[in-house]
Structure formats: structure tokens, C-alpha cells
Amino acid sequence: MKLLGYLKGTGKLGNMVTSVVAGQTIARDYNPNVANPNTVAQMNQRSKLKLLSQLAAALAPVITIPKNGLKSSRNLFISKNYDMVIANNGVAQIVYENIQLTNGNAGLPAITATRD
């Protein structure tokens, strides 16, 4: 529910939670009791998002996906690479050659290093 001029900002009032999205205050019901918050599917999703978030932070200087409206380059990077992450029992893995840093189909080049 959009609140036009009545409430500004974020917070909790009774069982209503407000947040600001694209400059507009949005209200929703507060639900502190999530039914079965640790299913295997939820743990897999959380581990995939955590892995991609950590990669996005580490690769931020080389991500060349341009911002699109309200979607940041970081969020576009995560959504573009989400399906490439494999999660099993809360453990996420990705093949680095499949990581997309651009809007094209070119994957991450092979990374090699020597210890000198």
C-alpha cells in the first residue's frame, strides 16, 4: 500500500512496517513468525545469494553491467549469475568461468596466479 503524504521514512508502527522504495513510502503487515524458516530450499537460496553477494563485492571494480533504472549494477550482476550457482544442503558453488561481468555472453577469463 502506498502512503501518499501520511507517513515518511521507514519504521514499525503497531503491526505495520514502512519502507521507502523509489522515493515512495510503502506499508506492509509485520510478520515476525515465519513458518519453518530453515527449509532446505530456503537455506539453498540464502547460500546462493550470500555467495553472489560476496563475489559482487570482490568483483565490483570490474563489473561492467550498467545500472538499469532502479536496479544497481550489483543487483543486475546477482540476478544474471543466480541460475549459474549450484546449491546443495546450504552449500553454494559456482564455476568461475561461467560468471558474467557484462551484458554479453562472455564469461570471466581464466584466472591464473603464480606465487613469487
Side-chain angles (χ1 to χ4, degrees), residues 7-80:
L7 293 174
K8 299 282 185 192
T10 62
K12 180 177 175 281
L13 180 63
N15 65 345
M16 180 178 68
V17 179
T18 60
S19 59
V20 177
V21 177
Q24 295 182 345
T25 302
I26 307 294
R28 57 181 162 70
D29 286 336
Y30 177 64
N31 182 9
N33 301 319
V34 179
N36 194 5
N38 290 318
T39 65
V40 174
Q42 287 171 323
M43 291 189 316
N44 287 342
Q45 182 177 9
R46 288 183 192 125
S47 65
K48 289 171 80 169
L49 289 173
K50 182 177 180 180
L51 174 63
L52 286 171
S53 182
Q54 291 171 338
L55 281 173
L59 297 174
V62 295
I63 294 174
T64 59
I65 301 171
K67 181 179 175 182
N68 184 4
L70 296 175
K71 296 178 184 175
S72 68
S73 295
R74 179 188 179 104
N75 287 347
L76 290 169
F77 168 82
I78 290 172
S79 63
K80 183 176 274 293

Side-chain angles (χ1 to χ4, degrees), residues 40-41 43-49 51-52 55 81-96 98-99:
V40 174
M43 291 189 316
N44 287 342
Q45 182 177 9
R46 288 183 192 125
S47 65
K48 289 171 80 169
L49 289 173
L51 174 63
L52 286 171
L55 281 173
N81 289 290
Y82 184 82
D83 290 336
M84 295 181 207
V85 178
I86 299 167
N88 190 10
N89 291 324
V91 177
Q93 297 177 331
I94 189 169
V95 177
Y96 288 109
N98 294 338
I99 295 174

